Structure formats: C-alpha cells, structure tokens
Amino acid sequence: MRALLKWKKSLLFFVGVPILLLLISLAYGMYQYKHLFDRIYDEGSENRQMSLVPEPPPIGVGNAVKKGEERSRKLRPFTLLILGIDSRGEAKARSDTMMIAAINPILHKVTLLSIPRDTRIKTIKYGHEKINHTMFLGGVPLVEDTLESFLGISIDRYITIDFEGFRRLIDALGGIEVDVKKRMKYRDPSDGTDINLKPGKQRLNGKEALDYARYRKSDIGRDDSDFERIARQQQVMRALLKKAEKNLTLFNLSDLMDILGDHVKTDLTQEELERLAHDYQENKIIKLENITLSGKDRFLPYKGHILYFFVVEAGERERVRNLLKNALSEHETNPIGP
C-alpha cells in the first residue's frame, strides 16, 4: 500500500533534474552553440505567466550597476515541471515520471514534489483521470493546467526528456556502473519489453540501464513496489551524473549536445539556462528539501472498469501548496523536514 510515499534526499538525482544540471553545465561551457537551444526550445509554449529574469534597477536609483553584475543577477524563484516520457515512436507520448521542482536560485535551494503515476485528478475536458494519462490526452499544456488546478499553484516552466534520449546519453558516455541487487526477468512481446538482468556489480549499457530503472513486473518472483522502482531510478541517475563528470570531453560533447537536441524539450530560454548554469558553477552545494504527498489507495469505477487510484484529499493539497509557496520565498523559512 502507498498511503505515504517517502522520498529521500537523493531524489535530486531522479530523472529530469540531472538532465537539467547536465544541460545547464553544457550551457555554461558551450552557450555559444546557439543551435542546441534552438532545437530544444519550445517557442510556442503559452506558459509565460512570469518573467524569470529580474528587472534591472532604474537608472539613478541606489548604487549603479557594476560591470558584470547584470549577468550575475540570479533568476527569480520559479516552478519547473519535469516529465520523463515514453513515446515508443508514437505521436502521443505517455508520462512515466512526473515531478514539480520549486527552484530558488536566491537561496540555492531545490524543493521537490513527486506526483505518483496513479494520482486521481480532475481534468476540465476528460473528467477524472490518472495523472499519467494527461500527457497522452493533451500533452504538456494539459499536464500543466491539470496540476495547476489540482495544487492551486502556477507552473512557470517545464522540461521533458524521452527515454530513448536517456538510453542514448548512457551509451554515449560508455555505460554506467550499477550494483544490481537481484535477478530481474520480464518479457512482454506486446510492447517489446525484454528485461533480463543478473545480480551483481556491472556496467550497464543504455537499454540495460533503462530496463533496470523501469522494472516493475516479474516473470520469476514478486512484482516490485513503486518505492523500489524509484530507489533504482535514483541509483541510475547518480551513476549517470558520476560518469558524466568523469567522461565529459570535447570528443563526446558534440554527441551529447545532439542527443539533448533530439530528445529534450523545454521552455526555459537560453538566457535563463545560462543564468542557471552560472549560478550552478558558482554554488556546487544545493540545499535540497522534499515534499511528501500523502494519500489513500482506492479502487474506483473508471469507464466501466474498476481501477486503482491514489487519492489525495483537499486538505493535503492545501498543505503541499503552502509548502511550495514557502519554498519559492526569497527569504529563508523553516525547513520542511524529512
């Protein structure tokens, strides 16, 4: 049962945030390659409720802006929707991982809220659905609108990466070292799934790493819980960042940029990415807080069937909303705690 989902501090390394850090690191060192940003930037996004770049002080008010100070000014605190998606070559993608990050460049702090795949939400057009269905039904705009209504907050920016890009990134870096804890075997010819991993420390290629991170069902033992699956995803992302730090060279930089260009989409602008990169390079230590979303397991009617849902009550949504708003404050507040 998932009445209470506990996310540890290592959740920073979950799908999405490491990709963002890799992206802004590339932006810091290679921002002159503007064509990368032309490929990943979603110019048509309507998600422009707030400018992230603070307005410069009026001329003649206070101290004059010193040379270089304009570039170093930090972005406003903002919310970032992070989606790991599974398109499988289809026109409509499904979201497999969904997270809201409250990013506070002023305090060098990231506050993370993961949204369970089976969370029951209400959409304007389609009625009650599971949250992971919304990406398939209406893409990023529907996910944003639904979560804004569900939590009562605004979502300022988004970033997506599809799992083919995740696989290619790992292959381009030469694989990652992972300690596989148990035998994993599962095959489903209907969607091409073929997972076959043996326990022990080993180097996983892109496909194997993706299989390891997404494994849930088993042909040889009990199925995994979502908590176990999330722990493996954290493990994979830590290994990916570690490998990227060691193996990021001029020889593979072009390949990595091509992969990001093919498989990442965001409405963060080039200037916003550069400012994030500048801040990240100056402040390697990022304070991390995690928000736990509590709810109840329910089997409810859905289009003539009975399906499992994770139900979050209104009071819990209000609690989470207040925590996210506090996380976006430009002044230090009390820590959220474990």
Side-chain angles (χ1 to χ4, degrees), residues 16-122:
V17 174
I19 302 304
L20 178 64
L21 294 182
L22 179 60
L23 187 61
I24 63 180
S25 294
L26 289 174
Y28 185 76
M30 305 293 289
Y31 64 85
Q32 64 268 35
Y33 287 83
K34 187 175 181 299
H35 68 276
L36 169 63
F37 301 99
D38 291 339
R39 293 170 66 187
I40 67 174
Y41 180 53
D42 180 7
E43 188 174 7
S45 173
E46 299 177 356
N47 199 17
R48 290 282 171 233
Q49 295 139 342
M50 179 183 75
S51 172
L52 301 187
V53 181
E55 293 292 332
I59 297 177
V61 176
N63 297 327
V65 178
K66 298 178 182 179
K67 185 177 181 180
E69 187 174 320
E70 167 65 23
R71 176 190 169 103
S72 66
R73 283 192 296 115
K74 302 185 188 318
L75 299 179
R76 303 178 192 274
F78 66 99
T79 54
L80 177 72
L81 173 65
I82 301 168
L83 295 172
I85 60 176
D86 178 15
S87 63
R88 304 195 182 191
E90 299 174 358
K92 292 185 177 181
R94 296 169 174 82
S95 59
D96 190 82
T97 302
M98 188 175 298
M99 180 184 297
I100 295 175
I103 298 177
N104 194 323
I106 308 298
L107 302 178
H108 313 298
K109 182 174 71 173
V110 176
T111 302
L112 297 170
L113 170 68
S114 278
I115 312 295
R117 291 160 43 97
D118 296 315
T119 300
R120 188 173 188 260
I121 47 81
K122 185 176 182 180

Side-chain angles (χ1 to χ4, degrees), residues 50-327:
M50 179 183 75
S51 172
L52 301 187
V53 181
E55 293 292 332
I59 297 177
V61 176
N63 297 327
V65 178
K66 298 178 182 179
K67 185 177 181 180
E69 187 174 320
E70 167 65 23
R71 176 190 169 103
S72 66
R73 283 192 296 115
K74 302 185 188 318
L75 299 179
R76 303 178 192 274
F78 66 99
T79 54
L80 177 72
L81 173 65
I82 301 168
L83 295 172
I85 60 176
D86 178 15
S87 63
R88 304 195 182 191
E90 299 174 358
K92 292 185 177 181
R94 296 169 174 82
S95 59
D96 190 82
T97 302
M98 188 175 298
M99 180 184 297
I100 295 175
I103 298 177
N104 194 323
I106 308 298
L107 302 178
H108 313 298
K109 182 174 71 173
V110 176
T111 302
L112 297 170
L113 170 68
S114 278
I115 312 295
R117 291 160 43 97
D118 296 315
T119 300
R120 188 173 188 260
I121 47 81
K122 185 176 182 180
T123 65
I124 296 175
K125 186 175 180 180
Y126 300 98
H128 285 98
E129 289 283 349
K130 291 187 177 186
I131 188 64
N132 69 320
H133 289 177
T134 54
M135 184 69 184
F136 180 81
L137 293 171
V140 172
L142 182 60
V143 178
E144 290 175 337
D145 290 345
T146 301
L147 286 176
E148 287 183 341
S149 176
F150 181 70
L151 293 172
I153 62 168
S154 64
I155 294 176
D156 302 306
R157 301 292 186 269
Y158 82 88
I159 185 170
T160 68
I161 180 168
D162 64 51
F163 289 124
E164 174 64 12
F166 175 79
R167 181 192 66 74
R168 288 182 60 196
L169 275 176
I170 291 177
D171 283 339
L173 290 169
I176 56 174
E177 303 295 327
V178 172
D179 186 4
V180 179
K181 300 298 184 182
K182 66 178 183 181
R183 182 80 165 92
M184 296 180 175
K185 186 173 177 58
Y186 177 70
R187 188 169 183 270
D188 185 353
S190 66
D191 62 5
T193 300
D194 188 5
I195 300 174
N196 189 3
L197 298 172
K198 296 181 180 180
K201 292 183 179 179
Q202 55 196 283
R203 177 177 295 182
L204 301 181
N205 63 27
K207 177 191 180 301
E208 292 166 339
L210 186 58
D211 287 345
Y212 181 69
R214 301 189 67 197
Y215 177 81
R216 284 197 300 170
K217 295 183 179 181
S218 175
D219 290 336
I220 55 177
R222 70 173 181 83
D223 293 347
D224 271 8
S225 68
D226 274 354
F227 181 80
E228 291 170 310
R229 185 171 184 251
I230 289 164
R232 285 196 304 275
Q233 291 174 334
Q234 296 169 9
Q235 182 186 6
V236 166
M237 296 314 298
R238 286 194 298 270
L240 174 58
L241 277 183
K242 184 177 180 180
K243 192 64 177 286
E245 288 175 358
K246 291 183 177 180
N247 288 53
L248 191 61
T249 68
L250 289 176
F251 295 102
N252 61 20
L253 186 58
S254 178
D255 289 341
L256 293 174
M257 293 177 74
D258 281 341
I259 293 168
L260 291 172
D262 289 341
H263 298 283
V264 171
K265 211 69 179 173
T266 185
D267 58 354
L268 283 159
T269 67
Q270 183 177 354
E271 180 182 12
E272 290 164 357
L273 284 167
E274 288 174 13
R275 286 178 183 260
L276 281 172
H278 184 269
D279 185 51
Y280 176 65
Q281 292 293 328
E282 285 190 337
N283 303 278
K284 294 292 187 180
I285 298 176
I286 299 175
K287 291 180 286 186
L288 177 66
E289 293 181 347
N290 303 289
I291 299 176
T292 299
L293 187 65
S294 299
K296 296 180 180 179
D297 300 312
R298 292 285 185 267
F299 286 91
L300 300 171
Y302 174 81
K303 298 181 180 179
H305 302 279
I306 300 296
L307 293 185
Y308 164 80
F309 288 90
F310 184 70
V311 179
V312 182
E313 302 294 344
E316 172 66 1
R317 298 201 300 270
E318 182 179 2
R319 182 187 73 87
V320 168
R321 175 170 63 251
N322 290 332
L323 291 176
L324 287 172
K325 287 182 177 179
N326 288 339

